[in-house]
Amino acid sequence: MPQTSIREVARRAGVSVGTVSNVLNRPNIVAEATRDRVLAAIEELGFVRNESARRLRQGPDDRPSGRARAFGVVVEDLTNPYASDVARGAELAFEEAGFETLWLSTDHSADRERRALELLAEQRAAGVLVSSVETGPDRIARWRESGMCVVLLDRAGPDFCSAQVDHVAGGDIAAAHLLALGRDRMAFVTGVPEPQPVVERCEGAARTLAKAGAGELAVLTQDALSPTAGQRAARALVSMSPVPTGVFCANDLLAIGVVNELVRLGARVPEDVAVIGYDDIELARSSAVPLTTIRQPRRELGWEAAELALAETAEGSAHEHRQIVLRPELMVRESA
Amino acid sequence: MPQTSIREVARRAGVSVGTVSNVLNRPNIVAEATRDRVLAAIEELGFVRNESARRLRQGPDDRPSGRARAFGVVVEDLTNPYASDVARGAELAFEEAGFETLWLSTDHSADRERRALELLAEQRAAGVLVSSVETGPDRIARWRESGMCVVLLDRAGPDFCSAQVDHVAGGDIAAAHLLALGRDRMAFVTGVPEPQPVVERCEGAARTLAKAGAGELAVLTQDALSPTAGQRAARALVSMSPVPTGVFCANDLLAIGVVNELVRLGARVPEDVAVIGYDDIELARSSAVPLTTIRQPRRELGWEAAELALAETAEGSAHEHRQIVLRPELMVRESA
DNA sequence: CGAAGATCGTGAATCGTTTCAAGCTACGCT
DNA sequence: AGCGTAGCTTGAAACGATTCACGATCTTCG
C-alpha cells in the first residue's frame, strides 16, 4: 500500500514537487519536455491525486480555504422516481458548472437527515439542496454560518432560497377539471407519512370545491403512497354511499392502483368514476386507462434549485434570497 | 468566513488542541470537567470537523494513511428503481458497518463512469461496487493497486469478488413456465442499450426452447426498456403471423406496456397471449392484469455485494475472491 | 558586451487534524 | 520524605498537495 504521493512522482521524474503540482493544475506553464516526463512518471507509478490534501490546502492565501467543488442533494427517498428525477436535474446543472453532486436520502428519519447534513458540512461541501427538513432552524443556521449555502426543495422559508412547485395550484387545477366534468362528489386519496406538498394539494382542491359551492372533499388516508395502497383505497371508495364521481389522488402510483382496482371491481373509468393523479410518471401515459394527471416539472425543479445554489455561492454576501415557484400543468388523458 | 478550527476551540476552552481532538475521538479518556468545557466551546463557536484534514492525517503511524470510511456504488441509472433498490440494500449493509455510501450513476456514459471511479479514488474511498463496467481492466487494476477494493455487481470477472443474479436461470425459468402452459410460439421483447444481464436472460430462454425442441425465439428489440417501448412492441407483436402465444419481456416496465397495449388492441391476456416480465417491481402486482414475473432479490443483491466488499477490506491481502450467485424466483400471478 | 526580460523550476510554508512520547499533578504506600 | 503510579494534558511532528516569492537559464537588443 505505498500511497504514491506527489513527492515520489517528483523524484521519479527528476523534478520538484512544485512542478508536479503545476503539471496537474496549470499544465501550460510547464515546458513540454518536463511535462511529458512528469506525466510519464504519473502513469508508471499509477499516481492518483489525494483529494483530501488538495482541499485542505486550497485557494490563494487570502481566500477561505478548502470548500469542495461539490453540492449535496438531500431527499427523503431516492428509490422514489420523483426524488431521483429532481436530483438528476440538479446534477445536470451542477455538472455543467463543474461541481460534483452527492445524492443522499434520509428515508424519513430525522437522524439520518442530521447525519447527512453533518456529513456535507464535514466534507465542506459548497452547499446543499434539501427537501426533507425535520431539523430545527438553529442547526441549519449553524451549518450555513459555517459557509454552506442551503436551498430548500419543495419547501419555502423566509431566510432561504427555495424552488418549489405550487402544489396549492396543482390541487386547484385538478379539482377545477373534475368540476368542469360535472363531478362534484369528490374524494381525495392520500397516504401517510404525508409530505407537506401533498397537504397543500389537498388544500387547493378543498378550497376550489368550497369556492364553487360544491360538497365537502372526502379524504381517504391510506398507509402508503403506493399502488397497493391505491387498490385498498378503491375498495373503500366503492363501499361509500354515495360513491364519489371524481377522485383526486395524491400521486400517480396511488392513482394507478385506484384505477386498476376500480376496473377490476366493475366500475368504468372515467364514465362512473373519474380519476386524476399527480406527478405524470412515465407509467401514467401507458397504464390500462391512460391517466389524467398533474405534471410536475421535476428535472426543471432540480435544475432551478441548483442554479439558485450556484448563484448564492457565487454572489457571496451580496446575495439576496429568491423564491422560485413553478406551476404544474394538467395533462388530460382518458381517466378524467 | 473564519473557518472555525480545532485551534480556536482549544483557545476558547483553555486547553491544547490535542485535548480537543481527544474529546472528539476518545471522550472517555478526558476528565469530565474538561470535556464539558470543550463541548461548550464547540457549541458556542459552531465548530464542525474538517473531514479532509482528518482523513489526511490518519491511522497509527505505520498503517497506510487516509482511507475514507466510505464506499461508492456506481450504477448505470439511479432513476431506475432496480438500481436504486440495489444501492439501498448496499447502503444498509455499509451503514451497519459504520461506512458512508456514495451513490453515483453513469447514465450509460463511459466518460461519466471513468469520472465516477476517479472521484472515488481521489477521495480514497475504501472500495466500490460497480455494475457498469466499460472501463478497461488495466485502469481498474490501477485503482485497485491504489488500495480500493472493487466488487462487481451483476457482472462476473475472474479477479474480482462479484455478486450477481443468475440471469440465464431466470430466462430458463420464464421459458419453462411458458412452455408448461403450452405456449411454444414465443417472443422475447427487449430494448437498447441492452445490458449484459438482459442478453443472458434471452440466452437462457432460447436455450430452454431449443432443448425442448420448440420453435425459434423471436426477438423484438425496441429503443428503450420502458412502458412506452412496450406499447410499441405490442403493436409489432399483433402484426406478426402467426402471433406469438407467449411473450417474455426483458423487464417489468416493458411487460406492463406490452400487456396494457395488448388489452387495448383487443387481445386477451393470458388467454390469447401469455406475458411474463422480469424484476417484480411493485407495480407488477397491481397492474390491470397482475403480472407474472421473475423476482430478483434486489436489496439482497446489494447487501451481499456490500458484505463482500467489507470482507475484502477487512481481510486485506489474505483475501480470496468470492463469487456470489443469487437465484431469481418465479412469481405466478395472472398474466401467464 | 551587458542589462533587461522572458521562461521555467524550486522549496519552504501552509491548510486542520490526529497521534504519541513526554510532562505534570495528586494520591497512596512504605 | 521519597517513590511509584494512575490519570490527564501537552505540544510537536506528521499527512499530501498547493502556492508564491525567488533563483537559475536563456533571449533579445541597444
Side-chain angles (χ1 to χ4, degrees):
Chain A
M1 343 270 99
Q3 283 288 2
T4 0
S5 85
I6 214 181
R7 209 175 314 276
E8 300 167 55
V9 174
R11 191 145 44 80
R12 176 93 167 209
V15 297
S16 77
V17 294
T19 301
V20 177
S21 177
N22 281 336
V23 170
L24 259 29
N25 300 294
R26 295 100 105 209
N28 48 312
I29 76 159
V30 177
E32 193 174 336
T34 319
R35 188 171 55 219
D36 291 346
R37 223 156 8 110
V38 172
L39 289 175
I42 287 178
E43 196 59 35
E44 286 163 27
L45 295 172
F47 165 79
V48 180
R49 243 218 219 83
N50 184 328
E51 183 59 26
S52 301
R54 163 175 234 236
R55 198 177 306 154
L56 183 57
R57 173 66 171 96
Q58 205 207 41
D61 271 345
D62 48 339
R63 259 196 289 148
S65 101
R67 286 268 138 214
R69 287 193 72 76
F71 280 88
V73 178
V74 178
V75 297
E76 288 178 350
D77 179 8
L78 279 173
T79 59
N80 173 340
Y82 174 77
S84 56
D85 267 357
V86 173
R88 181 76 183 108
E91 184 174 60
L92 287 171
F94 286 135
E95 186 179 9
E96 198 176 275
F99 285 81
E100 301 296 336
T101 306
L102 272 57
W103 303 39
L104 297 163
S105 70
T106 66
D107 295 290
H108 308 280
S109 138
D111 238 34
R112 277 180 56 93
E113 180 189 308
R114 202 169 29 72
R115 200 47 220 112
L117 290 171
E118 193 99 9
L119 180 83
L120 291 169
E122 289 178 352
Q123 303 278 358
R124 298 294 188 268
V128 57
L129 316 184
V130 256
S131 81
S132 142
V133 218
E134 317 242 353
T135 311
D138 45 334
R139 203 161 263 281
I140 290 193
R142 171 164 159 183
W143 283 314
R144 168 176 273 181
E145 250 172 60
S146 86
M148 214 169 54
C149 85
V150 180
V151 172
L152 302 183
L153 264 178
D154 243 341
R155 301 276 191 291
D159 286 346
F160 292 94
C161 277
S162 64
Q164 57 181 335
V165 176
D166 189 341
H167 300 291
V168 175
D172 167 49
I173 293 170
H177 180 67
L178 289 175
L179 281 176
L181 296 173
R183 311 308 177 102
D184 50 5
R185 288 202 314 278
M186 218 179 282
F188 182 70
V189 176
T190 181
V192 288
E194 195 177 36
Q196 186 58 27
V198 169
V199 175
E200 290 168 18
R201 287 166 209 174
C202 183
E203 282 171 11
R207 187 184 305 170
T208 301
L209 243 64
K211 214 179 292 174
E216 281 281 291
L217 181 67
V219 176
L220 265 79
T221 305
Q222 299 294 316
D223 60 0
L225 293 159
S226 65
T228 39
Q231 294 181 291
R232 282 190 293 277
R235 290 193 285 271
L237 280 167
V238 295
S239 70
M240 287 169 72
S241 69
V243 173
T245 52
V247 178
F248 175 31
C249 299
N251 73 2
D252 282 349
L253 293 177
L254 271 175
I256 287 172
V258 166
V259 170
N260 288 346
E261 189 69 7
L262 281 177
V263 169
R264 200 180 181 60
L265 295 170
R268 289 169 308 160
V269 177
E271 293 81 359
D272 300 331
V273 186
V275 179
I276 185 164
Y278 208 107
D279 280 349
D280 193 25
I281 62 179
E282 199 200 353
L283 236 58
R285 203 165 321 156
S286 50
S287 62
V289 181
L291 199 64
T292 294
T293 186
I294 308 287
R295 196 180 83 79
Q296 304 202 60
R298 299 187 274 176
R299 288 206 171 185
E300 193 185 348
L301 180 68
W303 175 281
E304 293 290 346
E307 292 291 347
L308 286 176
L310 288 166
E312 182 165 345
T313 304
E315 295 167 12
S317 54
H319 174 79
E320 284 189 24
H321 294 305
R322 263 171 295 164
Q323 272 81 34
I324 288 188
V325 178
L326 300 176
R327 224 184 134 71
E329 185 187 355
L330 177 67
M331 306 295 292
V332 180
R333 298 215 178 83
E334 299 182 14
S335 71
Chain B
M1 300 301 109
Q3 283 288 3
T4 0
S5 86
I6 215 181
R7 210 176 313 276
E8 301 168 53
V9 173
R11 191 144 44 80
R12 175 93 166 208
V15 297
S16 76
V17 294
T19 301
V20 176
S21 177
N22 281 336
V23 170
L24 259 29
N25 301 295
R26 292 97 107 207
N28 47 313
I29 76 158
V30 178
E32 193 175 337
T34 318
R35 189 171 54 216
D36 290 347
R37 222 152 14 105
V38 172
L39 289 175
I42 288 177
E43 196 60 34
E44 287 163 27
L45 296 173
F47 164 79
V48 180
R49 241 216 219 87
N50 184 328
E51 182 58 28
S52 300
R54 165 176 234 235
R55 198 176 307 153
L56 183 55
R57 174 63 171 101
Q58 205 207 38
D61 272 343
D62 50 337
R63 260 196 288 147
S65 101
R67 286 270 137 212
R69 288 193 72 75
F71 279 88
V73 178
V74 177
V75 297
E76 287 178 351
D77 179 9
L78 279 174
T79 61
N80 173 339
Y82 175 77
S84 56
D85 267 356
V86 173
R88 181 77 183 108
E91 184 176 59
L92 287 170
F94 286 135
E95 186 178 8
E96 198 174 277
F99 285 81
E100 301 296 335
T101 307
L102 272 56
W103 303 41
L104 298 163
S105 70
T106 65
D107 295 290
H108 309 282
S109 139
D111 237 35
R112 279 180 55 92
E113 179 189 308
R114 202 170 27 74
R115 197 51 217 110
L117 290 170
E118 192 100 10
L119 180 83
L120 291 169
E122 289 179 353
Q123 303 280 356
R124 298 293 188 268
V128 57
L129 317 184
V130 256
S131 79
S132 143
V133 217
E134 317 242 353
T135 311
D138 46 335
R139 202 161 264 280
I140 290 192
R142 172 165 159 182
W143 284 314
R144 169 176 271 179
E145 248 172 59
S146 87
M148 216 170 52
C149 85
V150 180
V151 172
L152 301 184
L153 265 178
D154 243 341
R155 301 275 190 293
D159 285 346
F160 292 94
C161 278
S162 64
Q164 58 181 335
V165 176
D166 189 340
H167 301 291
V168 175
D172 167 48
I173 293 171
H177 179 67
L178 288 174
L179 282 176
L181 295 174
R183 312 307 177 101
D184 49 6
R185 288 201 313 278
M186 217 178 285
F188 181 70
V189 175
T190 181
V192 288
E194 194 176 37
Q196 187 57 27
V198 169
V199 175
E200 290 169 17
R201 287 166 208 174
C202 183
E203 282 172 12
R207 187 183 307 169
T208 301
L209 241 64
K211 213 177 294 172
E216 281 281 291
L217 181 65
V219 176
L220 266 78
T221 304
Q222 300 294 314
D223 61 359
L225 293 158
S226 65
T228 41
Q231 293 181 293
R232 282 190 292 275
R235 289 192 287 270
L237 281 166
V238 295
S239 70
M240 288 170 72
S241 71
V243 173
T245 52
V247 177
F248 174 31
C249 299
N251 74 1
D252 282 349
L253 293 177
L254 272 176
I256 287 172
V258 167
V259 170
N260 287 344
E261 190 69 6
L262 282 177
V263 169
R264 197 176 183 62
L265 295 171
R268 289 170 307 161
V269 176
E271 293 81 359
D272 300 331
V273 186
V275 178
I276 186 163
Y278 208 106
D279 280 349
D280 194 24
I281 63 179
E282 200 201 352
L283 261 128
R285 204 165 320 154
S286 49
S287 62
V289 181
L291 198 66
T292 293
T293 186
I294 308 288
R295 196 179 85 78
Q296 304 201 59
R298 299 187 275 175
R299 289 206 170 186
E300 192 185 349
L301 180 67
W303 175 281
E304 293 290 347
E307 291 291 348
L308 285 176
L310 288 166
E312 183 166 344
T313 304
E315 294 166 13
S317 54
H319 174 79
E320 285 189 22
H321 294 305
R322 263 170 293 164
Q323 273 81 34
I324 288 188
V325 178
L326 301 176
R327 223 184 135 71
E329 186 187 354
L330 177 67
M331 305 295 292
V332 180
R333 298 218 178 82
E334 300 181 15
S335 70

